Short mmCIF file of all heavy atoms in Angstrom, two decimals:
data_model
loop_
_atom_site.label_atom_id
_atom_site.label_comp_id
_atom_site.label_asym_id
_atom_site.label_seq_id
_atom_site.Cartn_x
_atom_site.Cartn_y
_atom_site.Cartn_z
N GLY A 1 87.83 73.69 -26.69
CA GLY A 1 87.51 73.33 -28.08
C GLY A 1 86.91 74.57 -28.81
O GLY A 1 87.28 74.92 -29.94
N GLY A 2 85.89 75.27 -28.12
CA GLY A 2 85.36 76.49 -28.72
C GLY A 2 86.39 77.55 -28.97
O GLY A 2 86.36 78.28 -29.98
N ILE A 3 87.20 77.74 -27.92
CA ILE A 3 88.20 78.86 -28.04
C ILE A 3 89.22 78.52 -29.17
O ILE A 3 89.50 79.43 -29.97
CB ILE A 3 88.92 79.04 -26.63
CG1 ILE A 3 88.05 79.62 -25.67
CG2 ILE A 3 90.25 79.79 -26.81
CD1 ILE A 3 88.51 79.59 -24.22
N PHE A 4 89.67 77.28 -29.22
CA PHE A 4 90.71 76.96 -30.22
C PHE A 4 90.13 76.90 -31.61
O PHE A 4 90.79 77.02 -32.63
CB PHE A 4 91.51 75.71 -29.82
CG PHE A 4 92.59 76.02 -28.87
CD1 PHE A 4 92.37 76.08 -27.52
CD2 PHE A 4 93.85 76.42 -29.39
CE1 PHE A 4 93.42 76.42 -26.61
CE2 PHE A 4 94.88 76.74 -28.48
CZ PHE A 4 94.60 76.77 -27.10
N HIS A 5 88.84 76.59 -31.70
CA HIS A 5 88.15 76.57 -33.00
C HIS A 5 88.25 78.00 -33.62
O HIS A 5 88.57 78.23 -34.75
CB HIS A 5 86.72 76.19 -32.95
CG HIS A 5 86.09 75.87 -34.21
ND1 HIS A 5 85.56 76.90 -35.02
CD2 HIS A 5 85.87 74.75 -34.83
CE1 HIS A 5 85.10 76.32 -36.13
NE2 HIS A 5 85.26 74.99 -36.03
N ASN A 6 87.96 79.03 -32.68
CA ASN A 6 88.04 80.44 -33.17
C ASN A 6 89.43 80.86 -33.44
O ASN A 6 89.68 81.63 -34.32
CB ASN A 6 87.39 81.31 -32.12
CG ASN A 6 85.84 81.18 -32.02
OD1 ASN A 6 85.27 80.62 -32.93
ND2 ASN A 6 85.26 81.60 -31.01
N ILE A 7 90.39 80.41 -32.65
CA ILE A 7 91.82 80.67 -32.89
C ILE A 7 92.25 80.15 -34.29
O ILE A 7 92.91 80.85 -35.05
CB ILE A 7 92.71 80.17 -31.79
CG1 ILE A 7 92.51 81.01 -30.50
CG2 ILE A 7 94.18 80.18 -32.22
CD1 ILE A 7 93.18 80.41 -29.25
N GLY A 8 91.83 78.96 -34.55
CA GLY A 8 92.12 78.31 -35.87
C GLY A 8 91.57 79.20 -37.01
O GLY A 8 92.22 79.33 -38.06
N GLN A 9 90.36 79.61 -36.84
CA GLN A 9 89.69 80.46 -37.82
C GLN A 9 90.43 81.83 -38.04
O GLN A 9 90.57 82.31 -39.12
CB GLN A 9 88.23 80.66 -37.59
CG GLN A 9 87.51 79.38 -37.75
CD GLN A 9 85.96 79.55 -37.61
OE1 GLN A 9 85.51 80.40 -36.88
NE2 GLN A 9 85.21 78.74 -38.38
N LEU A 10 90.88 82.36 -36.91
CA LEU A 10 91.60 83.56 -36.94
C LEU A 10 92.91 83.40 -37.74
O LEU A 10 93.36 84.34 -38.40
CB LEU A 10 91.83 84.19 -35.57
CG LEU A 10 92.47 85.59 -35.51
CD1 LEU A 10 91.51 86.54 -36.07
CD2 LEU A 10 92.71 85.95 -34.02
N ILE A 11 93.60 82.27 -37.51
CA ILE A 11 94.82 81.97 -38.28
C ILE A 11 94.56 81.96 -39.80
O ILE A 11 95.38 82.55 -40.47
CB ILE A 11 95.41 80.61 -37.77
CG1 ILE A 11 95.94 80.78 -36.31
CG2 ILE A 11 96.51 80.16 -38.73
CD1 ILE A 11 96.30 79.45 -35.62
N VAL A 12 93.49 81.37 -40.17
CA VAL A 12 93.15 81.32 -41.58
C VAL A 12 92.83 82.73 -42.07
O VAL A 12 93.32 83.10 -43.13
CB VAL A 12 91.90 80.37 -41.87
CG1 VAL A 12 91.44 80.51 -43.27
CG2 VAL A 12 92.28 78.88 -41.63
N ALA A 13 92.14 83.44 -41.29
CA ALA A 13 91.78 84.88 -41.71
C ALA A 13 93.05 85.61 -41.84
O ALA A 13 93.13 86.46 -42.84
CB ALA A 13 90.87 85.52 -40.68
N ALA A 14 94.03 85.54 -40.99
CA ALA A 14 95.28 86.28 -41.03
C ALA A 14 96.06 85.88 -42.34
O ALA A 14 96.62 86.75 -43.01
CB ALA A 14 96.06 86.07 -39.75
N PHE A 15 95.98 84.61 -42.64
CA PHE A 15 96.65 84.14 -43.87
C PHE A 15 95.97 84.62 -45.11
O PHE A 15 96.61 85.12 -46.02
CB PHE A 15 96.64 82.56 -43.78
CG PHE A 15 97.29 81.96 -45.02
CD1 PHE A 15 98.74 81.97 -45.17
CD2 PHE A 15 96.53 81.41 -46.00
CE1 PHE A 15 99.28 81.36 -46.31
CE2 PHE A 15 97.14 80.83 -47.09
CZ PHE A 15 98.48 80.87 -47.23
N VAL A 16 94.63 84.56 -45.18
CA VAL A 16 93.88 85.00 -46.28
C VAL A 16 94.02 86.52 -46.53
O VAL A 16 94.22 87.02 -47.59
CB VAL A 16 92.37 84.64 -46.17
CG1 VAL A 16 91.51 85.29 -47.25
CG2 VAL A 16 92.20 83.11 -46.30
N MET A 17 93.90 87.29 -45.43
CA MET A 17 94.01 88.71 -45.47
C MET A 17 95.45 89.21 -45.55
O MET A 17 95.72 90.39 -45.72
CB MET A 17 93.35 89.42 -44.27
CG MET A 17 91.84 88.95 -44.11
SD MET A 17 90.89 89.58 -45.48
CE MET A 17 90.74 91.25 -45.09
N GLU A 18 96.38 88.27 -45.39
CA GLU A 18 97.87 88.52 -45.42
C GLU A 18 98.23 89.67 -44.42
O GLU A 18 99.04 90.55 -44.70
CB GLU A 18 98.28 88.95 -46.81
CG GLU A 18 98.11 87.82 -47.80
CD GLU A 18 98.51 88.17 -49.24
OE1 GLU A 18 98.91 89.38 -49.41
OE2 GLU A 18 98.46 87.29 -50.10
N THR A 19 97.69 89.54 -43.24
CA THR A 19 98.08 90.50 -42.15
C THR A 19 97.85 89.88 -40.79
O THR A 19 96.87 89.12 -40.62
CB THR A 19 97.28 91.80 -42.24
OG1 THR A 19 97.73 92.68 -41.18
CG2 THR A 19 95.78 91.60 -42.17
N ILE A 20 98.71 90.16 -39.86
CA ILE A 20 98.56 89.71 -38.52
C ILE A 20 97.81 90.70 -37.67
O ILE A 20 97.43 90.46 -36.56
CB ILE A 20 100.02 89.45 -37.92
CG1 ILE A 20 99.93 88.63 -36.54
CG2 ILE A 20 100.65 90.74 -37.60
CD1 ILE A 20 99.43 87.25 -36.76
N ARG A 21 97.43 91.82 -38.29
CA ARG A 21 96.69 92.85 -37.60
C ARG A 21 95.34 92.42 -37.05
O ARG A 21 94.69 93.05 -36.33
CB ARG A 21 96.57 94.10 -38.44
CG ARG A 21 97.90 94.80 -38.68
CD ARG A 21 97.67 96.06 -39.37
NE ARG A 21 98.90 96.82 -39.51
CZ ARG A 21 99.13 97.87 -40.14
NH1 ARG A 21 98.08 98.37 -40.91
NH2 ARG A 21 100.30 98.40 -40.24
N LEU A 22 94.90 91.29 -37.55
CA LEU A 22 93.60 90.76 -37.20
C LEU A 22 93.59 90.19 -35.70
O LEU A 22 92.63 89.95 -35.17
CB LEU A 22 93.13 89.63 -38.12
CG LEU A 22 92.79 90.05 -39.52
CD1 LEU A 22 92.53 88.83 -40.34
CD2 LEU A 22 91.67 90.99 -39.57
N ALA A 23 94.80 90.25 -35.18
CA ALA A 23 94.99 89.82 -33.76
C ALA A 23 94.16 90.65 -32.78
O ALA A 23 93.78 90.13 -31.70
CB ALA A 23 96.40 89.78 -33.40
N TYR A 24 93.80 91.87 -33.15
CA TYR A 24 92.95 92.71 -32.34
C TYR A 24 91.66 92.03 -32.04
O TYR A 24 90.92 92.32 -31.07
CB TYR A 24 92.80 94.07 -32.93
CG TYR A 24 91.78 94.15 -34.10
CD1 TYR A 24 90.34 94.33 -33.81
CD2 TYR A 24 92.12 93.88 -35.39
CE1 TYR A 24 89.48 94.27 -34.78
CE2 TYR A 24 91.18 93.91 -36.41
CZ TYR A 24 89.87 94.10 -36.14
OH TYR A 24 88.89 94.06 -37.10
N TYR A 25 91.20 91.17 -32.92
CA TYR A 25 89.93 90.46 -32.88
C TYR A 25 89.95 89.29 -31.91
O TYR A 25 88.96 88.76 -31.55
CB TYR A 25 89.57 90.01 -34.31
CG TYR A 25 88.18 89.81 -34.58
CD1 TYR A 25 87.16 90.64 -34.25
CD2 TYR A 25 87.79 88.56 -35.20
CE1 TYR A 25 85.79 90.33 -34.53
CE2 TYR A 25 86.46 88.31 -35.45
CZ TYR A 25 85.50 89.20 -35.12
OH TYR A 25 84.19 88.93 -35.41
N LEU A 26 91.15 88.94 -31.46
CA LEU A 26 91.30 87.72 -30.63
C LEU A 26 90.53 87.78 -29.34
O LEU A 26 89.85 86.80 -29.00
CB LEU A 26 92.81 87.43 -30.37
CG LEU A 26 93.09 86.16 -29.56
CD1 LEU A 26 92.61 84.94 -30.26
CD2 LEU A 26 94.60 86.07 -29.25
N PRO A 27 90.50 88.85 -28.58
CA PRO A 27 89.72 88.88 -27.29
C PRO A 27 88.27 88.63 -27.57
O PRO A 27 87.58 87.87 -26.77
CB PRO A 27 89.92 90.29 -26.73
CG PRO A 27 91.23 90.73 -27.36
CD PRO A 27 91.33 90.11 -28.74
N VAL A 28 87.71 89.13 -28.57
CA VAL A 28 86.31 88.88 -28.96
C VAL A 28 86.04 87.44 -29.21
O VAL A 28 85.09 86.86 -28.71
CB VAL A 28 85.87 89.81 -30.12
CG1 VAL A 28 84.45 89.48 -30.56
CG2 VAL A 28 86.02 91.28 -29.80
N LEU A 29 86.97 86.88 -29.99
CA LEU A 29 86.80 85.44 -30.37
C LEU A 29 87.00 84.51 -29.14
O LEU A 29 86.37 83.50 -29.03
CB LEU A 29 87.71 85.04 -31.50
CG LEU A 29 87.35 85.72 -32.88
CD1 LEU A 29 88.40 85.29 -33.90
CD2 LEU A 29 85.95 85.28 -33.30
N LEU A 30 87.90 84.94 -28.24
CA LEU A 30 88.13 84.09 -27.07
C LEU A 30 86.86 84.11 -26.18
O LEU A 30 86.44 83.06 -25.64
CB LEU A 30 89.31 84.70 -26.25
CG LEU A 30 90.63 84.53 -26.89
CD1 LEU A 30 91.75 85.16 -25.99
CD2 LEU A 30 91.00 83.07 -27.23
N ILE A 31 86.19 85.30 -26.01
CA ILE A 31 84.99 85.39 -25.25
C ILE A 31 83.86 84.59 -25.90
O ILE A 31 83.20 83.86 -25.27
CB ILE A 31 84.58 86.86 -24.99
CG1 ILE A 31 85.56 87.52 -24.10
CG2 ILE A 31 83.17 86.96 -24.42
CD1 ILE A 31 85.43 89.02 -24.05
N ALA A 32 83.77 84.73 -27.20
CA ALA A 32 82.69 83.98 -27.99
C ALA A 32 82.94 82.44 -27.84
O ALA A 32 82.00 81.71 -27.64
CB ALA A 32 82.68 84.41 -29.41
N GLY A 33 84.21 82.02 -27.96
CA GLY A 33 84.50 80.59 -27.81
C GLY A 33 84.27 80.07 -26.42
O GLY A 33 83.77 78.93 -26.31
N LEU A 34 84.45 80.96 -25.47
CA LEU A 34 84.23 80.53 -24.05
C LEU A 34 82.72 80.35 -23.81
O LEU A 34 82.30 79.32 -23.33
CB LEU A 34 84.73 81.61 -23.07
CG LEU A 34 84.63 81.24 -21.63
CD1 LEU A 34 85.88 81.77 -20.91
CD2 LEU A 34 83.48 81.81 -21.02
N ILE A 35 81.92 81.30 -24.35
CA ILE A 35 80.47 81.31 -24.10
C ILE A 35 79.88 80.10 -24.88
O ILE A 35 79.07 79.29 -24.33
CB ILE A 35 79.81 82.58 -24.48
CG1 ILE A 35 80.26 83.65 -23.50
CG2 ILE A 35 78.33 82.42 -24.47
CD1 ILE A 35 79.86 85.06 -23.94
N THR A 36 80.15 79.96 -26.16
CA THR A 36 79.58 78.83 -26.95
C THR A 36 80.10 77.54 -26.47
O THR A 36 79.41 76.53 -26.42
CB THR A 36 79.84 79.07 -28.47
OG1 THR A 36 81.24 79.11 -28.77
CG2 THR A 36 79.15 80.29 -28.99
N GLY A 37 81.40 77.51 -26.11
CA GLY A 37 81.95 76.27 -25.59
C GLY A 37 81.29 75.78 -24.29
O GLY A 37 81.08 74.63 -24.04
N LEU A 38 80.96 76.78 -23.46
CA LEU A 38 80.24 76.53 -22.20
C LEU A 38 78.87 75.93 -22.44
O LEU A 38 78.54 74.84 -21.87
CB LEU A 38 80.13 77.74 -21.37
CG LEU A 38 79.33 77.70 -20.06
CD1 LEU A 38 80.07 76.78 -19.09
CD2 LEU A 38 79.10 79.09 -19.43
N LEU A 39 78.11 76.55 -23.38
CA LEU A 39 76.79 76.05 -23.65
C LEU A 39 76.82 74.69 -24.34
O LEU A 39 76.07 73.74 -23.91
CB LEU A 39 76.07 77.08 -24.65
CG LEU A 39 75.81 78.45 -24.05
CD1 LEU A 39 75.24 79.35 -25.17
CD2 LEU A 39 74.80 78.35 -22.86
N ILE A 40 77.71 74.47 -25.30
CA ILE A 40 77.81 73.11 -25.87
C ILE A 40 78.32 72.12 -24.90
O ILE A 40 77.89 70.99 -24.87
CB ILE A 40 78.82 73.22 -27.14
CG1 ILE A 40 78.19 74.18 -28.22
CG2 ILE A 40 79.14 71.85 -27.64
CD1 ILE A 40 76.88 73.64 -28.76
N GLY A 41 79.24 72.54 -24.00
CA GLY A 41 79.74 71.62 -22.95
C GLY A 41 78.71 71.17 -22.04
O GLY A 41 78.65 69.96 -21.59
N ILE A 42 77.85 72.04 -21.58
CA ILE A 42 76.77 71.65 -20.67
C ILE A 42 75.79 70.59 -21.33
O ILE A 42 75.52 69.59 -20.68
CB ILE A 42 75.92 72.94 -20.22
CG1 ILE A 42 76.78 73.80 -19.39
CG2 ILE A 42 74.61 72.48 -19.55
CD1 ILE A 42 76.26 75.18 -19.05
#
């Protein structure tokens, strides 16, 4: 849930900024989603 929340936000950002180049940010968001999802999950 945390990971896909961040992916959804990245999709909006790519749409708003009109560029797919924001995909470089995906690994950072995946790690952040994993960590926050883990804490919230516990």
Side-chain angles (χ1 to χ4, degrees):
I3 288 170
F4 277 89
H5 193 279
N6 289 345
I7 290 172
Q9 291 186 329
L10 188 63
I11 291 168
V12 172
F15 179 75
V16 169
M17 303 296 284
E18 297 179 357
T19 181
I20 194 68
R21 290 185 177 174
L22 294 175
Y24 77 89
Y25 201 50
L26 184 60
V28 172
L29 291 178
L30 292 178
I31 292 168
L34 186 142
I35 293 168
T36 59
L38 175 67
L39 296 173
I40 296 299
I42 291 168

